[in-house]
Amino acid sequence: MADYNVIVIGAGPAGYVAAIRCAQLGMKTACVDKWDSLGGTCLNVGCIPSKALLDSSHHYYFMQKEAKQHGIKSEGLSIDIAAMQARKNKIVKMLTGGIGGLFKKNKVVSLKGAARLISNTEVEVNTQIISADNIIIASGSVPTQIPVTPIDNEFIVDSTGALAFDAVPQRLGVIGAGAIGLELGSVWSRLGSKVTVFEALDDFLSVADRKIANAALKELKKQGLDIKLATQVTAATVANNEVTINYQGDQQLVVDKLIVAVGRKPHTDKLGVADIGIEIDERGFIKVDANRQTNVANIYAVGDVIGGPMLAHKGSEEGVMVAERLAGQKTEMHYDTVPWVIYTHPEIAWVGKTEEQLKAENIEYKVGQFPFMASGRARAHGNTSGMIRIMADSQTDRILGVHIFGISASELIAEAVVAMEFEASSEDLARTIHAHPTLSEAMHEAALDVDGRVIHS
Ligand code: FAD
Ligand code: AMP
């Protein structure tokens, strides 16, 4: 008999959630992770520490730039980076420790060590071989490196290094205008860095709705981020405590620190994936079928390591799905309703198709739009940037995509996700009573606007 019903490799949001759900469903479950603390990238060096610094830096930015309009004086304002980092570290410690508590509560056996696949039912951990009826790989992802900018973890850093600066770099370069580059660039810009972002593509946030992306670009530039689109970095060299960045052939910029945020790649190092015949694609992602099963019987994979949106909540839901399918349930995952959020200020969030995708797919649609400028709550708050856009099918009125740039977009998008999950029409949202005064009224008004019935703009 096998030691466990399930062994989960990796205790990030995909793995730890899968392990807890397996255990809840009565499976004897072990979760192996090689890091000292549980929670994977997200809790240790991703979602959580970045949001802690985004919130701290926003408070400083608010006191410096916006408090005055509320009649609040901020003379003698200063920042203590060590205290800010200590706060961030405390939050990480509390949450990662919390997963240990959840494992105990749910009777998940937590094993520390690097796991290596031996067969479709065996895993080696710390020279010991343990066995299970099924194995779930949730080994996540690591930052992509590019040869032209070798990471030295002092001057040229990846996202992990950028979360740990002990002082505000006067001049900061960021390569990559994706979510991670924009969020980390925003943190240090708000704290005083002169930030230059290099992005090889001509389109800003090419995956987002164009109107939303353009509005966000304008706002971020206004905040002081120098975002250079269609600009390829070709080299970076460190000398005299400075980084010289070469871009577009003969152009140069000298900065104090350079963050390389050019994406993430699947993490399967030393996992033995190839040794037991698990297929990977040309980019190294583990190939899975609709049930998240690999080509090898009894082995499943979830989260960043299988690609798709590299988002914590996407991995967690895949973890739940695999656990429930192992228990004989018929759980499905709806990739069409995975919300995306970029935690700039204001935030960018969306679910479903962009206007550009609808056009490319020849789907006839109607658009409703509402600017936060016309929202009483946004005005009271003091930030009226951005808008909500809703796209609905011309014939059926079914909501196909909702796109937000504005304060609390990360929270507002949940209403759209629920509506789309329930296959709602824009009229369903338009007939739903929203509390006044709230930012969610902008969702209501955008829905009304789909049918030309908007009241407040
Ligand atoms: P991971 O979180 O990467 O976890 C994988 C785990 O597997 C790790 O703990 C690793 O130690 C372990 N492991 C790997 N190989 C082995 C092995 N052989 N043996 C034992 N253990 C192993 N996503 C969001 O949704 N929202 C955000 O706001 C957000 N912000 C981010 C900010 C930053 C700076 C970064 C870098 C990422 C951010 N992400 C965010 C992405 C998010 O962190 C990932 O999508 C998520 O962590 C993926 O979860 P995962 O469980 O698949 O993998
Ligand atoms: P993401 O994968 O969303 O985190 O975004 C990473 C971004 O980095 C992508 O938009 C890439 O186009 C960009 N990128 C990758 N390499 C370079 C480079 N050498 N110079 C500038 N931008 C780059």
Side-chain angles (χ1 to χ4, degrees):
M1 206 175 88
D3 300 324
Y4 297 97
N5 296 122
V6 181
I7 296 173
V8 181
I9 300 175
Y16 84 74
V17 170
I20 290 174
R21 192 71 191 115
C22 283
Q24 284 176 347
L25 290 162
M27 290 173 252
K28 190 180 173 199
T29 307
C31 184
V32 192
D33 201 292
K34 58 187 174 186
W35 284 0
D36 288 335
S37 67
L38 302 170
T41 305
C42 180
L43 272 74
N44 289 285
V45 289
C47 327
I48 297 300
S50 60
K51 265 79 253 175
L53 291 183
L54 277 159
D55 280 340
S56 294
S57 61
H58 180 69
H59 290 316
Y60 178 67
Y61 182 87
F62 172 81
M63 288 305 293
Q64 219 183 22
K65 309 267 186 198
E66 295 173 359
K68 219 177 355 177
Q69 56 167 303
H70 292 264
I72 301 168
K73 291 190 180 153
S74 58
E75 282 139 30
L77 189 68
S78 66
I79 32 176
D80 177 346
I81 296 296
M84 201 177 279
Q85 291 288 15
R87 172 185 179 273
K88 176 206 80 181
N89 294 339
K90 199 169 147 194
I91 293 165
V92 168
K93 199 162 170 218
M94 203 188 312
L95 293 176
T96 55
I99 293 175
L102 293 174
F103 276 178
K104 273 206 191 90
K105 182 180 152 205
N106 288 285
K107 300 194 173 50
V108 173
V109 176
S110 183
L111 301 172
K112 183 173 173 249
R116 192 168 67 89
L117 294 158
I118 302 293
S119 72
N120 68 337
T121 53
E122 291 166 302
V123 176
E124 184 192 68
V125 186
N126 303 328
T127 68
Q128 261 205 325
I129 294 185
I130 51 174
S131 61
D133 304 322
N134 291 291
I135 296 170
I136 304 176
I137 302 173
S139 54
S141 64
V142 289
T144 304
Q145 302 211 10
I146 45 176
V148 290
T149 55
I151 305 287
D152 64 12
N153 281 324
E154 191 180 357
F155 297 101
I156 306 181
V157 300
D158 58 18
S159 56
T160 303
L163 288 166
F165 289 157
D166 56 8
V168 180
Q170 241 178 34
R171 301 159 299 176
L172 175 66
V174 179
I175 311 183
I180 295 175
L182 291 176
E183 291 181 14
L184 295 173
S186 292
V187 164
W188 297 106
S189 163
R190 292 170 193 170
L191 297 174
S193 295
K194 168 83 198 84
V195 176
T196 309
V197 182
F198 299 88
E199 171 53 59
L201 301 177
D202 330 356
D203 276 343
F204 180 65
L205 287 178
S206 55
V207 282
D209 186 81
R210 269 321 69 209
K211 290 208 171 64
I212 295 289
N214 290 340
L217 178 61
K218 206 164 138 202
E219 181 73 26
L220 293 173
K221 282 186 168 173
K222 212 164 85 188
Q223 289 172 13
L225 292 178
D226 179 6
I227 300 172
K228 295 185 187 303
L229 299 175
T231 304
Q232 180 105 19
V233 170
T234 48
T237 42
V238 178
N240 305 321
N241 296 337
E242 290 181 333
V243 188
T244 302
I245 302 166
N246 287 61
Y247 62 99
Q248 300 297 81
D250 56 350
Q251 303 201 48
Q252 283 194 335
L253 180 79
V254 179
V255 294
D256 301 296
K257 302 268 186 195
L258 174 62
I259 303 172
V260 180
V262 294
R264 296 180 62 81
K265 60 173 190 183
H267 181 31
T268 51
D269 271 6
K270 302 192 184 117
L271 186 56
V273 164
D275 301 341
I276 64 160
I278 295 178
E279 280 178 18
I280 54 172
D281 71 13
E282 61 291 344
R283 294 171 63 204
F285 291 108
I286 293 179
K287 284 195 194 176
V288 288
D289 66 13
N291 296 335
R292 308 297 148 232
Q293 185 164 9
T294 68
N295 61 310
V296 173
N298 311 114
I299 304 197
Y300 297 78
V302 292
D304 279 10
V305 77
I306 63 167
M310 289 173 122
L311 297 166
H313 42 281
K314 172 263 190 191
S316 298
E317 286 307 313
E318 285 172 340
V320 169
M321 182 186 103
V322 169
E324 293 183 352
R325 286 198 159 250
L326 287 177
Q329 299 179 14
K330 299 272 178 265
T331 312
E332 276 182 15
M333 165 112 187
H334 296 161
Y335 287 89
D336 290 347
T337 49
V338 174
W340 295 68
V341 181
I342 302 175
Y343 296 81
T344 46
H345 185 69
E347 294 169 340
I348 303 161
W350 72 90
V351 56
K353 293 192 191 289
T354 63
E355 193 166 1
E356 292 68 36
Q357 281 172 324
L358 293 171
K359 280 187 183 142
E361 292 171 27
N362 286 323
I363 298 172
E364 287 189 23
Y365 63 94
K366 306 173 280 183
V367 189
Q369 185 167 314
F370 191 77
F372 283 106
M373 189 89 81
S375 151
R377 189 61 202 268
R379 208 158 268 286
H381 181 278
N383 192 320
T384 52
S385 304
M387 70 202 86
I388 299 188
R389 309 190 76 224
I390 298 180
M391 261 77 81
D393 188 287
S394 294
Q395 259 88 55
T396 64
D397 193 35
R398 182 174 169 177
I399 300 170
L400 302 173
V402 177
H403 303 265
I404 311 175
F405 175 54
I407 44 168
S408 300
S410 60
E411 303 293 343
L412 292 172
I413 199 67
E415 178 180 3
V417 176
V418 173
M420 286 183 64
E421 189 62 36
F422 280 62
E423 301 182 8
S425 61
S426 80
E427 177 157 14
D428 287 326
L429 278 189
R431 300 249 174 234
T432 301
I433 302 167
H434 290 69
H436 175 74
T438 60
L439 296 169
S440 70
E441 285 171 299
M443 187 74 81
H444 185 219
E445 293 272 8
L448 286 166
D449 191 47
V450 173
D451 192 36
R453 292 189 280 145
V454 67
I455 304 283
H456 290 96
S457 89

